[in-house]
Amino acid sequence: GMRGGSELSEGERLNSVKLEHIANEFNFLLRQQLEDQRRHFEHELSDVKRQAERKFQAQKQSLEVSVSEAKLKQTVVQDAKVRLEQANKKFASLTSKLDAVKIRKERMQTLNSELLKRQEKKRKHVEREQRRRATEVRRLIESKEAVIKDLQDQIRDLRSFLKTRGKIQTARSQGAQLVDVGVTPAAGGQEGKNLAGTSTSSSSKSSSRKGKGRRRKSKLMRNNANKHK
């Protein structure tokens, strides 16, 4: 009984360590993934902004030169207008890309929030499972200890009975009778009857104690079985 309880307790402890290790590894991977995504989108956003600014400044400078030259030639002015329209279209395209990046970033933030909530829910579930299993193990150990204590009581009663019976048999062989706490020589047939009566009484008491011990053990084992059902 003790060995089974110890093996169960060790198995539960190993399961608890495994669950904790899995939770820690999941947390580490999640934090690493979130950090990588954050750096990636920040870098991408920064690149888009720099490219847009550089292109816009370049187009602006080019258009300013074109406008200056257009003062001399109307044809140059018309060409500058076309180039300006093209620059505006490119800038609009870059702005659209920037908006798309922002939308993707918001979606990733939402996903990360959901992952964190799921992680917290999983952690609470693991904690509840650990507490439940610990309670089951503690109850099983307490039940085993109660059975062991009852068996120890029965063994102690049995030893006391055997010791008393040995003394009675020794007294019989020596022709003595048991009176209170001492042994006196037998004086006749009546004293032999007293010795027999004392032996029968002692045997009955020991048998009664042994029967009670068995009933306690049977009742305790039934209660233990009902708990595990």
Side-chain angles (χ1 to χ4, degrees):
M2 284 290 290
R3 185 173 59 206
S6 299
E7 292 175 355
L8 180 59
S9 177
E10 181 66 15
E12 292 296 331
R13 188 183 69 80
L14 291 175
N15 287 336
S16 177
V17 171
K18 289 180 180 178
L19 289 173
E20 183 178 0
H21 177 71
I22 292 172
N24 291 334
E25 184 177 1
F26 178 80
N27 291 336
F28 173 78
L29 293 175
L30 179 61
R31 287 194 300 270
Q32 187 178 26
Q33 182 182 6
L34 295 177
E35 184 63 21
D36 292 340
Q37 291 175 354
R38 183 185 66 81
R39 288 197 297 265
H40 171 73
F41 285 109
E42 286 180 353
H43 180 71
E44 185 176 351
L45 182 62
S46 178
D47 288 342
V48 171
K49 287 182 178 179
R50 286 196 299 269
Q51 291 177 8
E53 184 65 22
R54 284 197 301 267
K55 290 182 179 181
F56 180 75
Q57 291 298 331
Q59 293 294 336
K60 183 179 179 180
Q61 292 175 1
S62 177
L63 289 174
E64 289 175 353
V65 173
S66 299
V67 170
S68 298
E69 295 175 351
K71 293 179 180 180
L72 301 175
K73 294 181 180 181
Q74 187 64 29
T75 56
V76 176
V77 173
Q78 294 299 325
D79 183 63
K81 289 180 180 180
V82 172
R83 294 173 64 184
L84 179 59
E85 290 177 358
Q86 293 176 350
N88 288 334
K89 289 180 181 180
K90 290 181 180 180
F91 183 76
S93 176
L94 291 174
T95 302
S96 178
K97 291 180 180 179
L98 181 60
D99 292 338
V101 170
K102 289 181 180 179
I103 293 173
R104 290 176 60 188
K105 180 181 178 182
E106 291 176 355
R107 289 179 179 175
M108 291 305 302
Q109 288 176 342
T110 302
L111 177 61
N112 293 339
S113 178
E114 292 177 355
L115 289 175
L116 289 174
K117 290 180 180 178
R118 290 173 59 187
Q119 176 191 359
E120 181 66 16
K121 183 178 180 181
K122 181 67 175 178
R123 183 186 64 80
K124 291 181 179 180
H125 174 73
V126 170
E127 289 180 351
R128 288 196 300 269
E129 186 69 14
Q130 289 175 344
R131 287 195 296 269
R132 183 185 67 79
R133 292 186 178 182
T135 301
E136 291 180 355
V137 171
R138 183 173 64 253
R139 289 177 179 174
L140 180 60
I141 291 175
E142 291 174 354
S143 175
K144 297 294 184 181
E145 289 177 348
V147 172
I148 291 172
K149 184 178 183 303
D150 184 71
L151 291 175
Q152 290 174 344
D153 292 340
Q154 293 183 41
I155 291 172
R156 184 173 59 253
D157 292 343
L158 180 60
R159 287 177 177 173
S160 177
F161 166 74
L162 293 176
K163 184 177 180 181
T164 302
R165 188 177 66 177
K167 289 182 179 180
I168 293 173
Q169 290 177 351
T170 301
R172 284 179 176 176
S173 65
Q174 294 177 354
Q177 74 173 20
L178 209 62
V179 179
D180 292 336
V181 296
V183 178
T184 59
Q190 184 63 35
E191 292 177 350
K193 292 180 180 179
N194 292 337
L195 179 60
T198 304
S199 175
T200 302
S201 177
S202 299
S203 299
S204 298
K205 291 180 180 179
S206 298
S207 299
S208 177
R209 287 195 301 269
K210 185 175 180 181
K212 291 180 179 179
R214 289 177 178 174
R215 287 194 296 273
R216 287 198 303 270
K217 177 182 176 183
S218 177
K219 182 178 180 181
L220 185 58
M221 293 187 72
R222 285 197 303 272
N223 292 336
N224 186 26
N226 291 332
K227 287 180 180 179
H228 288 287
K229 288 181 180 179

